[in-house]
Amino acid sequence: MARRVWPTKSIALVIVFVLSGCGDNAPPEPTAAEAGEVLKSHIDQTLKHAFAENIKITDPGGKDIPCGNGKYRRTYAAEADAGAGSGDSEIITVALIGALRSVADYDLVGPLSQLTQEEAVSAKYHTRLVLSSPAKGRMVARGETECLSLS
């Protein structure tokens, strides 16, 4: 009988370990501050990869903006001169999209009718960016995090 109890206990123990790992595969949600730092890094790197010059930070972020339900978001934005190309706004926007794709994994969600502005989101990083070229030779990148906890 001892032989029969051992396999039963072993199987039960294996099942407990397997089930305890279920649902924990997703990484923990970042804090607003952590996602804000990722947002800042993605925007800075995107502008750098798009050959931006004379970068000016227009929203330094770093502030917790209440969303309700004890959640907060962070923002960040920068603008720059296009350092390469003809200065055409549509081409600058395409360059920004290409640069963003080299920085991190984002999905484009903006309407195709706006060729000088594109919106991108990342469920992985809990961020949303808007890349645009509002005037010849100008590029703008701004973004915000999802509403997240402070700790």
Side-chain angles (χ1 to χ4, degrees):
M1 187 177 290
R3 296 188 91 172
R4 296 180 88 189
V5 172
W6 173 248
T8 304
K9 287 182 179 179
S10 297
I11 292 171
L13 190 58
V14 168
I15 290 172
V16 168
F17 283 125
V18 169
L19 292 177
S20 68
C22 292
D24 290 340
N25 292 338
E29 187 175 85
T31 64
E34 290 167 341
E37 286 303 310
V38 170
L39 174 70
K40 180 181 186 288
S41 174
H42 288 175
I43 288 175
D44 290 346
Q45 289 179 45
T46 297
L47 290 173
K48 177 183 173 189
H49 288 283
F51 304 106
E53 294 181 346
N54 305 317
I55 298 172
K56 177 184 173 191
I57 306 303
T58 57
D59 175 2
K63 297 176 190 166
D64 295 316
I65 302 166
C67 302
N69 295 328
K71 302 265 182 159
Y72 297 83
R73 66 183 171 90
R74 294 256 177 128
T75 60
Y76 183 77
E79 61 183 46
D81 296 324
S86 67
D88 179 76
S89 291
E90 291 177 12
I91 293 173
I92 290 171
T93 303
V94 170
L96 286 167
I97 294 166
L100 176 62
R101 289 183 186 263
S102 73
V103 169
D105 187 25
Y106 277 80
D107 295 317
L108 300 179
V109 296
L112 294 175
S113 61
Q114 292 184 328
L115 300 178
T116 60
Q117 178 174 304
E118 185 62 63
E119 189 172 348
V121 297
S122 173
K124 178 179 180 180
Y125 301 110
H126 303 274
T127 52
R128 175 178 301 273
L129 302 178
V130 176
L131 306 171
S132 66
S133 179
K136 183 174 181 165
R138 297 294 299 156
M139 53 177 60
V140 174
R142 59 184 166 84
E144 64 182 28
T145 69
E146 293 176 359
C147 292
L148 301 164
S149 65
L150 289 178
S151 57

